[in-house]
Structure formats: structure tokens, C-alpha cells
Amino acid sequence: AQSVTQPDIHITVSEGASLELRCNYSYGATPYLFWYVQSPGQGLQLLLKYFSGDTLVQGIKGFEAEFKRSQSSFNLRKPSVHWSDAAEYFCAVVTGGGNKLTFGTGTQLKVEL
Amino acid sequence: DAGVIQSPRHEVTEMGQEVTLRCKPISGHNSLFWYRQTMMRGLELLIYFNNNVPIDDSGMPEDRFSAKMPNASFSTLKIQPSEPRDSAVYFCASSPGGGAGEKLFFGSGTQLSVL
């Protein structure tokens, strides 16, 4: 079955440092992949998505992600983290007909000032 | 637009009671999703509707859970009878159509505590 794995449960970075959050997918064909962010007490917000074409995808808030088929990965990156980026980040993949999404277990990001 | 509106924001109830969660999707959106979030299981899709019709309810835990979408602007998720293990945050989300990969717009969730 199609799925995504986020190997890091918690990550702590210093403000201004670069960030990379890992996501690995399991899917036979080219998957539809997403990154969502959840701030405390809020619902999820879409950061970016990948369907096909250019493997480097730009999103909101200065985030980007790169699709690497050879590594079955879709890692999220940001060159310089801001304190307001502290949140939980979810990788997701379309796993069914229509728009059925399956989410990873999430990575909690802490930003040290 | 006000976004996806869920009510109540918080619900505390006793085991055995009926609980009804409500959702108003974004106007014009054709798909609606109910997710449950817990520490142990993460985000789980319970059910989703397209044009008010349930498309996939394979994530609904058991017969105690039921969901309806009587019209395009309203959906309910009911738990009867509720149990402590149902305690979770329940999210409703909507998307413009039923196509794969469309952006989901999430509500702020309902925090349910069953004592």
C-alpha cells in the first residue's frame, strides 16, 4: 500500500540555520506528494505539492522540497529558519481515488533562539 | 471567505453519551473529509464525501461512528455511544473538487474528551 514515512519525530534547529525534514514514500508509480504544516491548536495548511515535472518544488513561507525517485524521498528544506516556523510538519501522499490523502506521523520542529 | 468552520471547538462528555461534531465546508467546495488526530495513531482519514455522497468510509472505526452530509454546506460526525478511546482532535477539511492532489483546507478542529 502507498504510504509515507517521516523518520524524525522531533528536530531542533537554531534560528537562522538551515532545515531539512525527511520524507520517504512507498509507491509504484509517480506519487502525488504534499507537505502540510500544523501550528499549535490549528488545522493543517498546505506548504507545497508535487505531481510531476520539475523535481524541485517551491512552496509558501520560503519552503521548498525536492522529489528524488532514486531515493524514494521528498524532503522539505528551508535555507534559514525563523522562530515562527516552529510547528509540526506532515508529509502526505494520495493513496486512493479522488483526493484521499494518507499522512505521515509528523515531525515536530523546535526553533531555538 | 471564513474557511472551514467546525463546532464545537472543545467537547467534554461522559462515556456512553452521544457526541455530534459539525462542519461547514468552504462554499463551492465539492469534497469534504473527516480526519482524526491522536498521539498514538497520528492523522487518520475517517471518511470523505464528494458531492455530498460518501465515497470512502473504510477509516470509520466501528459502527458507533456515523457521518452525514445532508447538503453541500453541512456535515456531521456522530459517535454513539462515546468511549474514552474516542478522545482525539477531529478535523474537517474540504477541497474544491474530487480530483487527485487538490489542496485540502482544514478547519481548526474539535478537541473531544470522553471521560
Side-chain angles (χ1 to χ4, degrees), chain A residues 54-94:
Chain A
D54 192 347
T55 56
L56 185 62
V57 181
Q58 301 297 321
I60 63 171
K61 303 185 180 186
F63 285 92
E64 65 179 27
E66 186 170 12
F67 173 70
K68 293 185 177 180
R69 184 186 301 278
S70 61
Q71 298 177 17
S72 297
S73 69
F74 187 57
N75 294 349
L76 183 70
R77 302 194 296 244
K78 187 169 184 178
S80 177
V81 171
H82 189 263
W83 64 266
S84 61
D85 293 325
E88 188 155 21
Y89 291 80
F90 293 89
C91 184
V93 63
V94 171

Side-chain angles (χ1 to χ4, degrees), chain A residues 32 34 36 38 41-46 49 51 88 90 94 96-105, chain B residues 9 33 35 37 42-43 45 48 56 58 91 95 97-109:
Chain A
Y32 289 1
F34 305 79
Y36 279 82
Q38 184 180 28
Q42 299 297 316
L44 281 72
Q45 179 184 22
L46 179 67
K49 60 184 179 181
F51 294 165
E88 188 155 21
F90 293 89
V94 171
N99 206 11
K100 181 177 179 179
L101 278 184
T102 295
F103 287 87
T105 51
Chain B
R9 283 299 308 269
F33 306 79
Y35 280 89
Q37 185 176 36
L43 270 163
L45 177 65
Y48 82 91
D56 186 341
S58 59
F91 287 102
S95 69
E102 288 190 343
K103 177 180 177 179
L104 297 188
F105 294 78
F106 282 79
S108 297

Side-chain angles (χ1 to χ4, degrees), chain B residues 14-78:
Chain B
E14 293 186 346
M15 181 174 64
Q17 296 298 306
E18 177 180 299
V19 175
T20 299
L21 311 181
R22 297 173 176 78
C23 175
K24 176 179 169 55
I26 293 173
S27 177
H29 282 194
N30 294 329
S31 294
L32 183 140
F33 306 79
W34 282 102
Y35 280 89
R36 177 173 68 176
Q37 185 176 36
T38 61
M39 289 291 292
M40 293 298 295
R41 302 174 68 90
L43 270 163
E44 303 172 277
L45 177 65
L46 300 178
I47 185 171
Y48 82 91
F49 297 82
N50 194 40
N51 292 321
N52 312 336
V53 176
I55 301 300
D56 186 341
D57 64 355
S58 59
M60 295 287 264
E62 48 200 273
D63 292 345
R64 298 184 297 107
F65 285 69
S66 63
K68 294 182 179 180
M69 192 165 185
N71 57 63
S73 59
F74 184 65
S75 177
T76 59
L77 178 67
K78 185 177 294 186

Side-chain angles (χ1 to χ4, degrees), chain B residues 78-105:
Chain B
K78 185 177 294 186
I79 308 173
Q80 167 63 21
S82 58
E83 296 182 3
R85 61 192 169 119
D86 301 329
S87 298
V89 180
Y90 291 81
F91 287 102
C92 177
S94 69
S95 69
E102 288 190 343
K103 177 180 177 179
L104 297 188
F105 294 78

